[in-house]
Amino acid sequence: MKKRLLVLNTTIMLGLGSAFSIPGAYAESINKLQNQKSEIQQERTDLQSQLAKADQELVSVLKEIADLNVKIHRVEKAIKDNNKLIEETQANIEDTQNEVDQLKAEMAVIEERIEKRSTILKQRAQSFQESGGTVAYLDVLLGSTSFSDFVDRVGAVTTFVQADKELMAEQERDKQAMEDKKTAVEAELAKLTSMMTELKGMQANLEEQKQQNSSLTQQLKEKENVIAEKKAKLQKEDREYAAALAQIEQSMAASIVSYATPSAGGAAVMNNQSSVNKSKSSSSSSSAPKQTVNGSSAVSIVTTAGNKYIGNSVYVFGGGRNAYDIANGRFDCSGFVHWSFAQAGITVGASTDSLKYAGRQVSASQMKPGDLVFFNTYKKDGHVGIYLGGGKFIGSQSSTGVAIANMSSGYWKSVFNGRVVRIIE
């Protein structure tokens, strides 16, 4: 570029020198300058085209960075929310564990009461057996000395029998209460432990996404710097071309003035005429036809509603159940299914337990687009998605957010449990 401009500048000066000294060479000199001007203008046009392309590339990279920053913010918000949920779950686990410990203490007391009653009942049974069973009660009654004594003895026997029955009833109630409470507490502890396992797994996926996004941001920043340097270099060359054109214009003007100046032998008259051809292009603009929305079936709406979230969402446990989550693409699997069906005006549950009974159970061999498909992940029926056909389903996955996945091979095939629920007939 610099060599090219240096040659042009030298040519301009030599050309002008000859033009000033030899009037006959004027026309040739002017033509030569005009040709050089055209060449530089063409080269500058090509360079400006490269500059415009670099601008487009820079805008594109900056947009990618901006979009990625939005995703990073979304992931960081999800990590923050999940950390809070993990802390709450951990606190609930500790409370439940304390309840288990307290229950063990209560169970020790209950077992002691049961043991004492068992001893009493054994002693009663032994005494009853040694006295001859039911005959002993009859002997007590027949051994009365008077009617009054008989009545007293009947009352005593009745009281004794009733006391035994109450002891046994209390025994059974204590045993049942202990078992019921133990079962409830163990179930709650198992549920919380399962939730904690899922949350920690999800958190690991989110951290991995965060690292990937950070790495991609760094790559885009490096790309931005390269394009910015390229743009700066092109801008510098453009300024050099502009300076060369200005010099040619100045030289041509000086040549014209010099040639047109009167001399002793007479005056030279020159008319330099330039014509500028202007072309106007007219285009007939016709307004684009209005887009009409055809009556889409419920299945079509349900299976395509989530497409806008693909690559633009994040998995959040309990997400998709309020306006903020929906606006920011924050869903868990059942929350996404609930939202998708709502777009077609269909109300379904927002948990896997409610969704698996929301419609008619059909065979996996008969599933069709719009059916719900279930997977055994961290628990039985722990994940749900919407079948699309062709062995694919759409759902909010913990590692990707809303995405289309293949359930005919790989991981999802291995965890698909065969449960298919049809909501739309």
Side-chain angles (χ1 to χ4, degrees):
M1 171 63 189
K2 290 183 177 179
K3 284 185 178 181
R4 166 76 171 159
L5 291 176
L6 181 61
V7 171
L8 285 172
N9 289 337
T10 304
T11 304
I12 290 168
M13 296 307 297
L14 290 174
L16 286 174
S18 61
F20 294 155
S21 58
I22 307 173
Y26 169 76
E28 182 181 353
S29 178
I30 290 296
N31 287 336
K32 192 172 184 180
L33 287 171
Q34 286 177 333
N35 289 337
Q36 291 172 345
K37 179 181 177 181
S38 296
E39 289 177 10
I40 293 177
Q41 284 176 329
Q42 181 59 50
E43 291 180 8
R44 188 185 185 194
T45 298
D46 294 341
L47 182 141
Q48 287 177 334
S49 176
Q50 296 178 44
L51 191 58
K53 185 178 178 182
D55 274 332
Q56 291 176 352
E57 290 177 355
L58 190 58
V59 169
S60 177
V61 170
L62 292 174
K63 184 179 183 302
E64 284 185 64
I65 293 174
D67 292 342
L68 189 59
N69 284 333
V70 172
K71 290 182 180 180
I72 289 173
H73 176 72
R74 187 183 295 124
V75 170
E76 288 177 344
K77 181 69 167 61
I79 289 173
K80 182 179 179 181
D81 290 347
N82 285 336
N83 279 332
K84 182 179 178 182
L85 193 55
I86 287 174
E87 290 174 1
E88 292 174 355
T89 304
Q90 185 62 47
N92 290 334
I93 288 176
E94 290 174 0
D95 290 343
T96 305
Q97 187 61 55
N98 290 335
E99 194 174 347
V100 170
D101 294 339
Q102 184 178 353
L103 178 60
K104 288 180 178 178
E106 292 176 3
M107 286 170 61
V109 174
I110 292 173
E111 287 174 353
E112 186 178 353
R113 288 204 305 264
I114 290 173
E115 184 63 29
K116 287 180 179 180
R117 291 197 197 101
S118 296
T119 301
I120 293 172
L121 289 172
K122 286 178 182 178
Q123 291 173 349
R124 295 270 182 91
Q126 185 177 1
S127 175
F128 183 70
Q129 185 178 12
E130 290 174 353
S131 62
T134 56
V135 178
Y137 290 122
L138 184 59
D139 289 342
V140 170
L141 296 177
L142 294 179
S144 59
T145 56
S146 64
F147 181 73
S148 177
D149 185 29
F150 178 79
V151 171
D152 290 340
R153 293 190 179 207
V154 168
V157 168
T158 303
T159 301
F160 179 76
V161 172
Q162 187 62 35
D164 285 351
K165 288 182 178 179
E166 288 178 359
L167 277 174
M168 294 179 69
E170 287 177 7
Q171 186 90 329
E172 291 302 320
R173 281 195 299 270
D174 277 351
K175 284 183 179 180
Q176 189 60 47
M178 183 177 64
E179 291 298 327
D180 291 346
K181 193 165 187 179
K182 181 180 177 183
T183 300
V185 171
E186 287 178 346
E188 179 66 17
L189 188 60
K191 176 184 174 183
L192 290 170
T193 302
S194 176
M195 183 186 296
M196 180 63 78
T197 300
E198 181 180 9
L199 287 170
K200 287 184 177 179
M202 178 174 48
Q203 196 73 344
N205 288 330
L206 288 170
E207 291 291 349
E208 183 178 353
Q209 285 182 46
K210 183 179 178 180
Q211 292 178 1
Q212 290 174 353
N213 288 339
S214 298
S215 175
L216 185 55
T217 299
Q218 183 61 33
Q219 292 175 20
L220 289 173
K221 283 288 185 183
E222 292 173 0
K223 187 176 180 181
E224 178 190 0
N225 292 335
V226 170
I227 296 174
E229 289 176 4
K230 177 182 177 182
K231 182 180 175 181
K233 181 180 178 181
L234 290 172
Q235 287 174 329
K236 182 181 178 182
E237 291 182 7
D238 184 62
R239 288 193 296 270
E240 291 174 352
Y241 275 121
L245 287 171
Q247 187 174 357
I248 289 176
E249 292 284 355
Q250 184 179 2
S251 299
M252 290 177 67
S255 178
I256 292 171
V257 170
S258 175
Y259 184 74
T261 301
S263 60
V269 180
M270 183 193 74
N271 293 323
N272 181 31
Q273 298 178 343
S274 62
S275 62
V276 179
N277 295 325
K278 297 182 180 179
S279 62
K280 296 183 180 180
S281 61
S282 62
S283 60
S284 58
S285 60
S286 59
S287 58
K290 293 182 179 179
Q291 185 178 0
T292 58
V293 179
N294 297 324
S296 300
S297 67
V299 170
S300 176
I301 295 173
V302 167
T303 54
T304 60
N307 288 349
K308 65 180 181 178
Y309 289 115
I310 295 175
N312 189 34
S313 59
V314 65
Y315 183 97
V316 175
F317 191 85
R321 291 159 178 81
N322 57 58
Y324 174 82
D325 283 353
I326 292 169
N328 290 277
R330 294 156 49 94
F331 294 95
D332 65 6
C333 62
S334 52
F336 173 73
V337 169
H338 173 82
W339 174 84
S340 296
F341 275 84
Q343 305 317 295
I346 301 172
T347 301
V348 296
S351 68
T352 53
D353 287 338
S354 61
L355 288 171
K356 66 184 180 183
Y357 300 117
R360 182 167 64 90
Q361 307 281 323
V362 298
S363 168
S365 62
Q366 297 176 332
M367 61 184 173
K368 64 180 185 179
D371 289 346
L372 303 186
V373 286
F374 290 79
F375 305 86
N376 294 342
T377 51
Y378 72 101
K379 68 173 184 177
K380 184 180 169 101
D381 298 318
H383 188 71
V384 62
I386 302 170
Y387 187 63
L388 301 178
K392 293 183 171 24
F393 77 97
I394 186 170
S396 182
Q397 277 69 266
S398 62
S399 59
T400 60
V402 176
I404 295 174
N406 188 351
M407 58 182 289
S408 60
S409 64
Y411 173 74
W412 292 111
K413 179 181 180 180
S414 68
V415 295
F416 175 54
N417 62 18
R419 186 190 294 278
V420 180
V421 175
R422 182 159 300 162
I423 307 293
I424 306 170
E425 294 291 347

